[in-house]
Amino acid sequence: MLKQVLRFLTAALVVSMPYAAAAAERAKRVVDPVKSWDEHFMTWSVVATVVYLIVTLPLIYFVFKYKRRHKDENGAYIVGNAGLEILWTIVPMITIILLGVQSWAVFNDLREVPKDHIEVKAVGFMFGFEMYTPEGIMTLNELRVPVGNVKVNLTSKDVIHDFALPAFRTREDMVPGENTYLWFSAKEPGEYPVYCAEFCGSGHSSMLAKVIVMKKDDYEAWVKSKQAESMTAAATPDAKGKQLVERLACLGCHGIAGETKAGPALNGVMGKSVELEDGTKVVVDEAFVIEKIADPKAKPVKGYGHMMPPNALAKEDYEAIAAYLKTIK
Ligand code: CUA
């Protein structure tokens, strides 16, 4: 009896030791969701594979071993086996509890933002992301950050989007009227993809962006150049138009390099002949562009649906955009 108890205690110690060690480790370690997520994924994969083999291999074996050999052969009548029942209830239960504990630890890593972090903001819209640095610089579909921990506050202008950063193993919904967040640790300078991971309309697949992680010095230089640019830029109408097109998030749905997104490309559109939904043809000129921006549904162009929202701008802002469109061929 004593022998059995000792054996059980040794076994319990061996099983719990990694967890005790892990708890001590967690207290002093650097939180790294990418690492804990990957480890968790590996654990699940191994456990799932082992369970699969334990179930499937005997199954295949028994199919052949106990198949009926004569027409009137009857199988053995087995009432039950209490020992087996208990075993295959307890073992999966403990396994799932342990996996649950690990899931909870990973979840905490993903939700608890380390104290030393910078805060940025990302706003989803149909179809793109507006990003704001701590200095208030807005960029479209690209989030520039210095190396370090980054908390991203999230929201949406229209429908539910989802800010997904596969390289950092994290994602979070962007919900209109609500503030959500995620955080990631930007370690290596480089570019990392951002996806919208919530089907949000016909332009969903074009909601691609990137996180650009920069060395601290490079980042500060970039901030300075951006701040200088915003002081001088609006000197001419077309420069102002360019700023407006970027700030009003037109580029979420319109390309400026000939690409068709949810809407037509903007370059070369001036002077082009287009067909409206009612079959009439019009040549795109300044007046048409201004009407299009102010009241997009009045003269819908064939083949693009009615998704664009109206924009109420000052007269010179409409004209600035038209001036800018003339410059991009
Ligand atoms: Cu936004 Cu999908």
Side-chain angles (χ1 to χ4, degrees):
M1 181 65 192
L2 186 71
K3 224 173 174 184
Q4 270 96 347
V5 171
L6 272 179
R7 206 177 287 157
F8 173 77
L9 284 180
T10 322
L13 193 67
V14 168
V15 170
S16 61
M17 228 160 56
Y19 288 92
E25 200 55 35
R26 190 159 294 136
K28 62 178 179 189
R29 86 209 163 101
V30 177
V31 177
D32 185 351
V34 173
K35 204 165 145 246
S36 45
W37 205 100
D38 284 353
E39 283 169 3
H40 191 46
F41 181 78
M42 268 321 285
T43 310
W44 271 99
S45 304
V46 169
V47 170
T49 307
V50 169
V51 170
Y52 176 78
L53 293 177
I54 288 175
V55 173
T56 314
L57 293 182
L59 177 85
I60 294 169
Y61 174 69
F62 291 149
V63 161
F64 290 102
K65 181 164 159 86
Y66 295 112
K67 80 177 214 179
R68 188 159 78 161
R69 290 189 169 76
H70 320 285
K71 241 183 162 182
D72 42 1
E73 189 182 359
N74 281 326
Y77 179 65
I78 298 166
V79 182
N81 185 325
L84 268 181
E85 298 272 356
I86 291 169
L87 185 75
W88 69 46
T89 305
I90 301 273
V91 171
M93 198 173 81
I94 293 174
T95 310
I96 285 173
I97 288 172
L98 291 180
L99 285 172
V101 169
Q102 203 190 15
S103 289
W104 178 244
V106 175
F107 177 77
N108 281 331
D109 281 356
L110 285 165
R111 298 317 292 165
E112 270 169 34
V113 189
K115 280 200 187 77
D116 57 324
H117 66 265
I118 61 158
E119 266 191 64
V120 302
K121 190 175 161 190
V123 182
F125 62 92
M126 294 159 94
F127 294 101
F129 301 98
E130 278 176 10
M131 320 276 202
Y132 297 86
T133 71
E135 298 83 7
I137 298 167
M138 197 270 264
T139 48
L140 200 71
N141 293 334
E142 95 181 15
L143 175 63
R144 285 179 190 260
V145 294
V147 172
N149 297 323
V150 183
K151 180 183 180 191
V152 191
N153 294 308
L154 307 166
T155 190
S156 167
K157 282 189 178 172
D158 34 48
V159 298
I160 299 177
H161 303 276
D162 188 293
F163 197 74
L165 302 171
F168 301 107
R169 311 287 189 274
T170 185
R171 59 168 59 177
E172 186 64 45
D173 275 4
M174 308 172 111
V175 185
E178 268 193 51
N179 298 306
T180 52
Y181 74 93
L182 57 75
W183 81 273
F184 62 93
S185 177
K187 289 187 180 137
E188 291 288 321
E191 290 188 15
Y192 304 91
V194 179
Y195 298 96
C196 176
E198 182 75 54
F199 183 65
C200 53
S202 62
H204 163 70
S205 61
S206 68
M207 281 188 74
L208 302 170
K210 53 195 171 189
V211 171
I212 303 179
V213 179
M214 306 170 88
K215 290 199 195 111
K216 239 186 166 68
D217 299 347
D218 294 347
Y219 177 76
E220 275 155 20
W222 174 79
V223 167
K224 281 210 180 93
S225 77
K226 270 283 164 190
Q227 283 166 340
E229 197 179 292
S230 69
M231 311 275 265
T232 55
T236 58
D238 59 291
K240 191 178 174 198
K242 181 170 188 287
Q243 273 189 347
L244 283 167
V245 165
E246 284 162 3
R247 277 194 199 143
L248 294 169
C250 311
L251 303 181
C253 296
H254 298 281
I256 47 171
E259 69 275 43
T260 302
K261 295 192 189 174
L266 297 180
N267 58 312
V269 80
M270 276 292 187
K272 200 169 152 186
S273 169
V274 294
E275 190 179 348
L276 302 183
E277 270 180 10
D278 61 11
T280 52
K281 292 215 164 111
V282 291
V283 172
V284 178
D285 56 9
E286 185 172 328
F288 182 76
V289 163
I290 292 173
E291 189 184 348
K292 226 40 239 173
I293 302 168
D295 186 9
K297 291 175 181 64
K299 288 181 186 167
V301 176
K302 206 171 185 172
Y304 289 105
H306 299 187
M307 275 187 303
M308 182 166 157
N311 297 275
L313 309 179
K315 184 167 169 285
E316 59 268 29
D317 287 346
Y318 288 124
E319 288 164 1
I321 292 174
Y324 168 60
L325 293 190
K326 277 179 203 157
T327 66
I328 47 173
K329 295 277 152 56

